[in-house]
Amino acid sequence: MTEEALPLTDRMRGRDWLMTQDWADDEIELALDTAKQLKKEFKTGVRTLHLPHKTIFLIFFDKSTRTRNSFEAGITQLGGHGHFVDSETSQIAHGESPKDMGIILSGYGHGIAIRHDTVPGEGQTYMRDVAQWADVPVINMQCDVDHPCQTLADLMTIREEFGQDLSKLKIAVSWAFAPSYVKPMSVPQGLIMLMTRYGMNVSLAHPPEYTLMEESMRLARENAAKSGANFEVVHSMEEAFADADIVYPKSWGPEALYGDPEAAMKVAGQYRHWICDEAMMAHAKQEAIYMHCLPADRGSEVTDAVIDGPQSRVYPEAENRMHTAKALMALTM
Ligand code: CP
């Protein structure tokens, strides 16, 4: 039999995880330390039954590979059960309120996690409404404003690569062309808010139609001012990539056009040259790493040579989604 995991602190028990901005620096550090410990225990076969017989409800308004499976596998490894709730096949589709979802699911289990990411102005509000009525922690699995589970895993991945002190690094967060679907705005917004907090110099690039939400920009500027980081907006992927240590080019939609995917794709079609290929990577530092939250549109957002190449960290990044999801559940539930 494998050895048992060390007990975890109760300090964050009952807390919601709706935006990284809601947690203090030392609370984020606790989540990262816990994820690191759980990763080591997973790799060495240590049993981590921190949540025996506990249930988390996973409510999805959108599709998912990494988020759903990292939470389902993660809760199983913690000794509990993940219960998938599809917004289309539950009474949410008939208008059941966030208040009812919060109260009723709190009566059945120990945590609620929600993905509601494709309608600007709705997802974060819905989650805060559920959280207001729920007696159990509510976790944001991606909304219109933030994807805090993704950016926590990204921060873990960057620390694994560059060490604890990130203050001299430059990260390029750039728009890229993707024809598959209108991708949410929450990953670039989450990145500019969180990475500026850690003192990283953030260079944001996008075509003029792809401005991010003003509140995210305000928080990124405020975080950068506090940490001493530089936060700039530039007008090409090349400029953002110049001397970057980390490049994170990905697609998102124009805020006003999420309800009209055809019109959104028409706008995107003007910018097919916003692709991360080997020539683009040459603008960054030689040892720079390529990151993407996935799924990536190969041949449009990025070439195979880059995403499958030596600078890519997309698979360790995706793996860290599970270790960080486990940390958030184990600490809060
Ligand atoms: N990165 C991410 O959230 O992946 P999924 O959409 O597959 O969950």
Side-chain angles (χ1 to χ4, degrees):
M1 195 167 73
T2 52
E3 62 182 292
E4 298 287 341
L6 293 170
L8 299 178
T9 172
D10 279 334
R11 189 179 152 201
M12 305 306 286
R13 202 75 55 212
R15 282 281 295 278
D16 299 322
W17 171 254
L18 296 179
M19 285 182 59
T20 55
Q21 200 70 26
D22 296 339
W23 283 30
D25 291 351
D26 60 333
E27 294 170 342
I28 301 243
E29 290 299 338
L30 177 63
L32 288 168
D33 288 347
T34 307
K36 191 174 171 182
Q37 180 185 323
L38 288 166
K39 181 172 185 174
K40 192 170 154 200
E41 288 166 343
F42 178 74
K43 302 268 182 202
T44 53
V46 173
R47 295 198 311 183
T48 54
L49 304 177
H50 296 292
L51 301 175
H53 312 300
K54 289 196 173 179
T55 302
I56 185 165
F57 295 97
L58 306 170
I59 305 176
F60 281 87
F61 288 73
D62 191 13
K63 298 171 181 61
S64 169
T65 299
R66 280 143 293 274
T67 307
R68 177 178 175 181
N69 290 294
S70 62
F71 270 86
E72 288 191 0
I75 187 70
T76 303
Q77 291 162 25
L78 294 170
H81 176 68
H83 201 117
F84 177 70
V85 182
D86 177 4
S87 68
E88 285 300 317
T89 55
S90 67
Q91 297 291 13
I92 295 171
H94 289 149
E96 181 139 42
S97 69
K99 173 181 174 179
D100 287 4
M101 294 302 286
I103 294 173
I104 291 161
L105 296 182
S106 292
Y108 297 162
H110 309 87
I112 300 171
I114 306 169
R115 166 167 286 192
H116 190 330
D117 57 348
T118 56
V119 188
E122 285 191 9
Q124 179 72 205
T125 303
Y126 181 89
M127 290 175 195
R128 293 208 182 264
D129 287 350
V130 173
Q132 184 189 338
W133 294 99
D135 300 333
V136 297
V138 176
I139 295 178
N140 177 357
M141 295 193 295
Q142 187 170 20
C143 70
D144 53 327
V145 179
D146 199 1
H147 192 351
C149 294
Q150 179 66 50
T151 56
L152 188 66
D154 293 342
L155 190 54
M156 180 176 184
T157 310
I158 292 170
R159 279 258 179 90
E160 286 173 344
E161 190 75 30
F162 295 100
Q164 288 293 108
D165 179 10
L166 308 177
S167 64
K168 291 189 176 53
L169 298 178
K170 175 182 175 181
I171 181 168
V173 178
S174 175
W175 187 86
F177 172 68
S180 59
Y181 68 105
V182 186
K183 302 189 180 192
M185 301 167 78
S186 43
V187 169
Q189 291 178 165
L191 287 170
I192 64 168
M193 289 187 284
L194 186 62
M195 301 314 166
T196 46
R197 223 171 130 179
Y198 279 77
M200 297 178 66
N201 298 313
V202 177
S203 190
L204 172 69
H206 57 76
E209 294 87 346
Y210 292 90
T211 48
L212 298 178
M213 289 176 180
E214 187 41 47
E215 179 63 1
S216 304
M217 294 292 287
R218 187 189 68 75
L219 286 168
R221 282 192 291 266
E222 196 177 287
N223 291 344
K226 275 190 202 148
S227 72
N230 186 46
F231 174 52
E232 62 173 8
V233 182
V234 296
H235 304 290
S236 68
M237 200 185 280
E238 289 88 338
E239 275 179 274
F241 274 36
D243 282 327
D245 301 278
I246 302 142
V247 298
Y248 205 128
K250 79 164 306 293
S251 197
W252 66 88
E255 187 176 350
L257 294 180
Y258 278 87
D260 188 349
E262 214 174 295
M265 283 302 160
K266 220 168 161 180
V267 176
Q270 303 170 81
Y271 303 111
R272 287 172 193 275
H273 55 288
W274 285 63
I275 179 171
C276 181
D277 56 14
E278 286 169 298
M280 190 65 73
M281 285 299 290
H283 291 278
K285 284 190 181 149
Q286 209 173 358
E287 63 278 16
I289 62 167
Y290 166 85
M291 297 179 73
H292 193 296
C293 56
L294 303 181
D297 281 30
R298 285 169 177 258
S300 295
E301 286 180 284
V302 59
T303 59
D304 288 345
V306 171
I307 197 167
D308 295 327
Q311 289 167 280
S312 177
R313 296 294 181 275
V314 294
Y315 298 126
E317 183 184 2
E319 185 198 322
N320 284 338
R321 288 295 309 277
M322 185 179 79
H323 306 303
T324 45
K326 283 168 72 176
L328 293 168
M329 289 188 282
L331 288 170
T332 61
M333 283 172 59

